């Protein structure tokens, strides 16, 4: 059975299959609804039901409180229609957002590379073209693992029939463990995408500051490669953080780009270099490297943050102390697979990504 859901105030009408969430149907039909985590925990996709009924699904009681349920609010990422519906959403689409529809694809593994002691670079050939914006992510279904796992896309949008992922092995993470220990060349996995609101605001010509930690380098890599390929003339800065040289992966790529492009600047930082590293670069955390480089004055830039929650929180604090505020800070926060999520959500300091 199929239900029609009308989205106000735009008047868009989407068809939702029985058992399908409203958000999934909307994204696959090119209808924009605000969302972030996609798993019922962040409340970004909260909408008001004006007409009709739905199953609330696995909405977190913290993201959708009892009083809100009584008022008729639902989370679009969890709710499944039980009749035709009319919903009202707080739609504020960024003018730089392309809104490419989500597709299901099959990815064939073409390369598996050790990027660091804990991170593998996994490359796929897709069975169809996937149009996406640099910074977005895909969902990957992994054999024997319930649900799907989200991974940021590391290749540039021009390479739209391939997929490069940077996968960190997290102890206790069923998905990353399988990918590190069992995945082989020639294997095929189900992929869906693109998802996410993490992308470069290209209409804003302020300088771009990228701060990345761990496998969070994946999105900035895609974004920077895309900008440079397009001949973007703004000043671009990449601050990459790691513990030691062995974990500072893809360093040679960005050092080469720094030499090739006058407007690109690569600043790596190590917080625990080994004696044998003979490290001559910045010694400290990546947000400290950014603070030192800019002398704690960040105004006149857009900042894009990608990495684990402690890094994100420290970077936000540093940027705000340096006079950069919410409208110019965008982020993608990585959670460990140990709690079942390699997913994106938002800082409590922010109303939106």
């Amino acid at each position: 059975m199929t239900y029609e859901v009308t989205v106000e105030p735009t008047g868009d009408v989407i068809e939702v299959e029985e058992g399908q969430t409203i958000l999934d149907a909307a994204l696959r039909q090119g209808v924009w609804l605000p969302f972030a985590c996609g798993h019922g925990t962040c409340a970004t996709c909260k909408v008001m039901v004006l007409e009709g009924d739905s199953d609330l699904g696995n909405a977190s009681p913290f993201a959708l409180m009892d009083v809100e349920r009584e008022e008729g609010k639902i989370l679009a990422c969890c709710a499944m229609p039980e009749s035709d519906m009319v919903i009202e959403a707080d739609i504020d689409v960024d003018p730089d957002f392309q809104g490419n529809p989500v597709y299901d694809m099959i990815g064939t593994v073409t390369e598996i590379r050790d990027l660091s002691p804990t991170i593998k670079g996994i490359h796929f050939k897709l069975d169809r073209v996937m149009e996406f914006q640099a910074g977005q992510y895909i969902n990957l279904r992994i054999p024997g693992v319930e649900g799907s796992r989200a991974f940021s896309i590391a290749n540039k949008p021009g390479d739209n029939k391939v997929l490069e992922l940077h996968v960190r092995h997290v102890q206790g993470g069923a998905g990353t463990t399988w990918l590190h220990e069992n995945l082989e060349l020639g294997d095929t996995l189900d992929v869906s995408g693109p998802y996410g609101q993490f992308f470069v605001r290209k209409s804003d010509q302020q300088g771009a500051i990228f701060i990345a930690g761990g496998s969070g380098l994946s999105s900035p890599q895609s974004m920077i490669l895309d900008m440079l390929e397009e001949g973007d003339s703004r000043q671009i800065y990449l601050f990459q953080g790691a513990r030691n040289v062995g974990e500072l992966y893809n360093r040679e790529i960005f050092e080469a780009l720094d030499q090739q492009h006058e407007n690109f600047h690569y600043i790596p930082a190590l917080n625990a270099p080994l004696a044998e590293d003979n490290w001559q670069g910045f010694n400290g955390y990546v947000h400290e490297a950014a603070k030192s480089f800019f002398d704690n004055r960040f105004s006149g830039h857009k900042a894009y943050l990608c990495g684990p929650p402690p890094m994100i929180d420290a970077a936000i604090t540093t940027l705000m102390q340096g006079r950069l505020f919410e409208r110019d800070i965008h982020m993608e926060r990585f959670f460990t697979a140990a709690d079942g999520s390699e997913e994106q959500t938002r800082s409590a300091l922010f109303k939106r990504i």
Side-chain angles (χ1 to χ4, degrees):
M1 182 176 292
T2 301
Y3 300 106
E4 285 191 351
V5 177
T6 302
V7 181
E8 298 294 354
T10 63
D12 290 315
V13 178
I14 58 176
E15 294 187 352
V16 188
E17 299 290 335
E18 188 170 8
Q20 184 181 29
T21 67
I22 294 171
L23 178 63
D24 183 65
L27 294 177
R28 291 173 184 277
Q29 293 168 53
V31 175
W32 170 248
L33 290 177
F35 77 101
C37 76
H39 298 276
T41 60
C42 75
T44 305
C45 66
K46 191 178 297 178
V47 299
M48 174 67 76
V49 176
L50 303 180
E51 297 179 19
D53 301 297
S54 68
D55 180 340
L56 296 181
N58 295 321
S60 163
F62 299 101
L64 189 66
M65 296 182 290
D66 289 342
V67 64
E68 293 176 311
R69 297 171 190 237
E70 294 172 1
E71 291 172 350
K73 293 179 180 177
I74 61 174
L75 300 185
C77 71
C78 297
M80 294 169 283
E82 294 180 329
S83 70
D84 290 345
M85 299 178 66
V86 179
I87 62 174
E88 185 176 42
D90 183 12
I91 298 175
D92 182 18
V93 181
D94 191 290
D96 287 311
F97 181 64
Q98 294 176 3
N100 293 307
V102 170
Y103 292 104
D104 293 318
M105 295 157 282
I106 296 175
T108 302
V109 179
T110 58
E111 182 180 1
I112 303 173
R113 179 187 305 172
D114 289 329
L115 298 177
S116 81
T118 60
I119 299 172
K120 286 187 182 293
I122 303 176
H123 297 246
F124 297 85
K125 180 180 179 181
L126 301 175
D127 67 339
R128 60 159 298 147
V129 167
M130 178 178 64
E131 302 292 346
F132 67 95
Q133 283 184 269
Q136 291 190 295
Y137 67 94
I138 56 88
N139 280 335
L140 194 67
R141 294 195 64 86
I142 301 170
V145 177
E146 184 178 357
S148 60
R149 295 291 185 269
F151 296 99
S152 296
I153 304 168
N155 52 289
K156 60 184 185 294
D159 300 328
N160 54 19
K161 282 206 70 173
V162 300
L163 181 63
E164 177 184 346
L165 307 178
H166 299 167
V167 180
R168 181 171 70 93
H169 186 200
V170 180
Q171 295 299 321
T176 61
T177 297
W178 192 94
L179 291 172
H180 271 251
E181 297 181 357
N182 300 98
L183 188 68
E184 297 181 353
L185 293 177
D187 284 350
T188 59
L189 296 179
D190 293 332
V191 179
S192 65
Y195 299 98
Q197 307 173 61
F198 190 55
F199 53 88
V200 175
R201 274 58 181 181
K202 293 183 178 180
S203 63
D204 189 323
Q205 287 299 303
Q206 296 183 96
I209 299 171
F210 294 91
I211 302 179
S215 60
L217 180 66
S218 51
S219 289
Q221 175 175 303
S222 176
M223 298 158 99
I224 291 167
L225 291 176
D226 181 47
M227 294 173 75
L228 294 177
E229 183 177 70
E230 291 186 346
D232 198 305
S233 61
R234 81 190 78 186
Q235 295 297 306
I236 304 168
Y237 306 86
L238 171 62
F239 295 88
Q240 182 187 4
R243 287 181 56 80
N244 53 57
V245 167
E247 296 178 358
L248 194 68
Y249 76 93
N250 282 1
R251 173 186 176 189
E252 66 283 353
I253 293 176
F254 297 105
E255 288 179 337
L257 291 173
D258 191 316
Q259 294 296 316
Q260 295 165 13
H261 300 273
E262 292 184 358
N263 64 321
F264 176 67
H265 314 277
Y266 175 57
I267 306 94
L270 301 182
N271 63 66
L274 303 175
E276 56 267 32
D277 288 338
N278 296 314
W279 180 244
Q280 302 299 314
F282 186 88
N283 197 329
Y285 291 101
V286 67
H287 66 280
E288 296 170 336
K291 180 178 180 178
S292 175
F293 186 91
F294 282 98
D295 195 23
N296 202 30
R297 291 193 291 266
F298 299 103
S299 59
H301 296 85
K302 284 278 190 184
Y304 302 89
L305 319 178
C306 191
M311 187 218 82
I312 295 288
D313 293 339
I316 289 172
T317 299
T318 297
L319 292 168
M320 286 188 165
Q321 289 174 344
R323 310 297 295 173
L324 200 67
F325 299 107
E326 177 183 348
R327 67 179 180 274
D328 290 322
I329 302 176
H330 309 275
M331 65 182 177
E332 184 176 60
R333 175 187 292 233
F334 282 12
F335 281 80
T336 69
D339 64 3
S341 60
E342 286 135 319
E343 59 200 40
Q344 291 71 27
T345 188
R346 305 175 299 162
S347 167
L349 296 173
F350 282 68
K351 297 177 183 177
R352 64 182 186 278
I353 290 180

